[in-house]
Amino acid sequence: MNSNSTSALHQDFRSSLRIESPCEFTAIRNATLQLRDWLAGKGLPEAELGAWELALVEAGNNAVKYADAGARQLPVGMEISCGEREIEARITDHTPGFNWPREIELPDIESESGRGLFLIKSLTDRVTYLRHASQNVMVLHRARPAAKKESLPDVDRLQARLAEAEAALNDMTAELASSYESLVAMFRYSAELGAHTDVKDFSQRLLRDLMQIAEADSAVLRLLSADGKRLETLLVLPEQGRITLPPVTLTEGLSSVEVGAARNRQDIWFDSAEPLDKDDPLRTVMPVGNGICHAFVVADQLVGTAALGRFAADKPFTAAQVNLLHTFIDFLAIQIVNARLLNERTTTRVTRRELEIAAEIQHSLLPETVPACLPFELAAACQSALQVGGDFYDFIPAGDGAVLLVIADVMGKGVPAALFAAVLRSTIRSMPQLFSQPGELLGAANRTLYSDLSRVDMFATAKVAYLNPRRQEIISASAGHCPLLVWQSGAVQANAPGQSGFPLGIEPAVKYAQTVTPLPPGAAALLYTDGLSETRNAAGEMLGEKMLFQLLAQAAAQTCDAHAGKHFLLGRLADFCDHTPPTDDQTLIFIRHLA
Amino acid sequence: MNVFVDNDHVRVTGLERLSAGNSVEFKQLIKLHLTAACRVVEIDCAPIRFLDSDGLGALICIHKWVTPHDGKVRLQQPSELVRQLLERLHLDEIFELAP
């Protein structure tokens, strides 16, 4: 791929000459000879011409030597102005630049390099080196010796000069017009930014404007995929052909100039002399002519590539048009990155609000008061994890002083889990006739909820227990839930009676067995969710059911009522976790026979 | 430009320009003709119309090749332009300038 292959020459009416030279030594030498000839036409003596020739070559060669691969695609500007008393030269380079030294000394006499700046300094009266973000300018001044009076130029020569001046003026006018158009476009885009325009629409309008101003026939805009492995097509213009370009992989698409530009982060030119590879996907859009592909980055991160093409092979993009491409696309890159950041912020806000809603739903499911059930006493706790889950418990008065205890865990997190928890709670509460038969109650709840749960691939585990104070027993049934732990006075440790059936929502018709467990005076029982038994400490060790058994036994032996027992358990859990935040909700119901 | 061996000399004639554009090739060409017995490089500077710092770097490089073997670089008939340039950079101290 090549750089712009011809020098652009402009001569203005203020006695100056500007040449844009390709960034290579031979071209710099040729440009310098043109400048020298022009100065000779001004009547400068041979010694002056020699000094300017050498100073210009040294300055131009520096612009070539220190240019990186990307900068070598850009022209070196060489301009000379001839005043009555002074001659000024400006050399524009695209190197990283340097600080002009206060003192310039000659290197060691046997050093093969390092004399360029010394020569420039010694051949001129004043040198200024201006560093900018994208280019640098070396300005050389040297007094003009008193010139001999020029003989009157002939008419032909004057006409030739006039024609050159007109051509230069036309070029300058065109360049100025394109700069004006781009500036107007930028203002318009900036005004649109507050209107939350879709990135693709915005990019499309910007790319169309760019094509028009830069006189391009086709354009392709690709963005780096989220995983950073591919360039995905955002836009292909013009759209008439409905051409679609498949993504190109950065590690594999080596025949693609877009991949080359993206990997090396530099512009790549192509034309009839060095055309696109036959396997380059860009050929579908730009089969003939010439073009340029520009990789755009923001904060050193690749964002994508933009390619502009022209069908005419003999009309390459000018340096001014390439500058337009850079300006438009780099502006677009910033808008794309800003839009992504805004999108991420919005998503984060939505997620946070969703969690707040889920937490509110979950909190509203919990009973505000604990019903009396003497001689039993009840206490409960529900501690939410960072990501709100679907745990809940419920106390429902069931007649004759009995209370139905419900503890459940809906699979999943966030609002969906909280909503299904609400539905499960309502479903159970709507069947008071089955409260004393927990097995039947779970079967009926499963039949009611199965179609809804299975449709969204969700399920819930639940334990329902009918606490009968008159018979001093508890009748329980389980839908895939953790066992009921029971401790009786004098027992060495708690035990876990009963069987467990399928969770709700797995099978359409399930029969749930129910177990009757006596709760004699002094007994304690625990209903809980797996967030409690599966809690982990900082070392990653899980509490486990065996240790939970032991904690229940300790709580029952060392406390006298349900509240104290609950707090004992929660305290031991906190000791075990040692400030490690829970990953799942932790819910429990502590039952204590007070006698 | 012609480069040829004449007895124990490598002679260069017809050199009109020695600069960044041709300095590398110039060095390679001279190196091809240097032998253990041929360590004096004699350059006819009369035709030289342009010499820049890269061209001078090439001459210094050749000078460093030949001097360890008692060789030298002789610049013959340097123009005023070349002579002034060498003096400006004090390089007349290491090259032999012959009228």
Side-chain angles (χ1 to χ4, degrees), chain A residues 380-435:
Chain A
C382 180
Q383 302 185 132
S384 295
L386 286 176
Q387 281 187 297
V388 180
D391 276 18
F392 77 94
Y393 67 87
D394 200 6
F395 300 134
I396 311 170
D400 283 342
V403 174
L404 186 74
L405 312 178
V406 182
I407 190 165
D409 180 1
V410 178
M411 185 211 79
K413 308 284 180 196
V415 171
L419 284 176
F420 266 103
V423 171
L424 174 57
R425 176 178 177 272
S426 301
T427 303
I428 289 173
R429 279 183 169 252
S430 68
M431 301 176 185
Q433 71 281 6
L434 297 176
F435 284 176

Side-chain angles (χ1 to χ4, degrees), chain A residues 64 117 168 218 251 371 424 459 468 529 536:
Chain A
V64 176
L117 294 186
S218 55
T251 50
L424 174 57
F459 64 87
N468 188 337
T529 56
R536 290 179 185 273

Side-chain angles (χ1 to χ4, degrees), chain A residues 391-582:
Chain A
D391 276 18
F392 77 94
Y393 67 87
D394 200 6
F395 300 134
I396 311 170
D400 283 342
V403 174
L404 186 74
L405 312 178
V406 182
I407 190 165
D409 180 1
V410 178
M411 185 211 79
K413 308 284 180 196
V415 171
L419 284 176
F420 266 103
V423 171
L424 174 57
R425 176 178 177 272
S426 301
T427 303
I428 289 173
R429 279 183 169 252
S430 68
M431 301 176 185
Q433 71 281 6
L434 297 176
F435 284 176
S436 60
Q437 299 163 275
E440 293 292 325
L441 180 61
L442 280 178
N446 182 54
R447 283 192 297 279
T448 304
L449 296 173
Y450 171 76
S451 61
D452 288 339
L453 284 168
S454 62
R455 194 166 54 238
V456 290
D457 282 333
M458 290 185 78
F459 64 87
T461 68
K463 186 101 179 172
V464 179
Y466 179 74
L467 183 61
N468 188 337
R470 192 166 51 83
R471 297 176 64 94
Q472 299 195 9
E473 65 181 23
I474 191 165
I475 306 172
S476 63
S478 176
H481 200 81
C482 306
L484 167 73
L485 303 186
V486 179
W487 177 88
Q488 294 184 12
S489 182
V492 175
Q493 69 169 33
N495 61 15
Q499 298 174 316
S500 183
F502 280 120
L504 306 173
I506 300 292
E507 290 286 334
V510 182
K511 284 193 172 182
Y512 292 96
Q514 59 187 40
T515 306
V516 180
T517 308
L519 289 180
L526 183 70
L527 292 165
Y528 63 97
T529 56
D530 57 7
L532 203 72
S533 55
E534 293 175 5
T535 190
R536 290 179 185 273
N537 60 16
E541 297 162 336
M542 194 169 75
L543 180 74
E545 285 188 357
K546 190 176 176 185
M547 191 165 171
L548 191 59
F549 275 33
Q550 292 169 357
L551 290 180
L552 173 63
Q554 290 170 16
Q558 295 177 31
T559 63
C560 299
D561 59 50
H563 291 286
K566 178 188 84 173
H567 288 300
F568 180 93
L569 275 180
L570 293 177
R572 290 294 182 277
L573 270 176
D575 292 343
F576 176 78
C577 293
D578 192 20
H579 303 295
T580 304

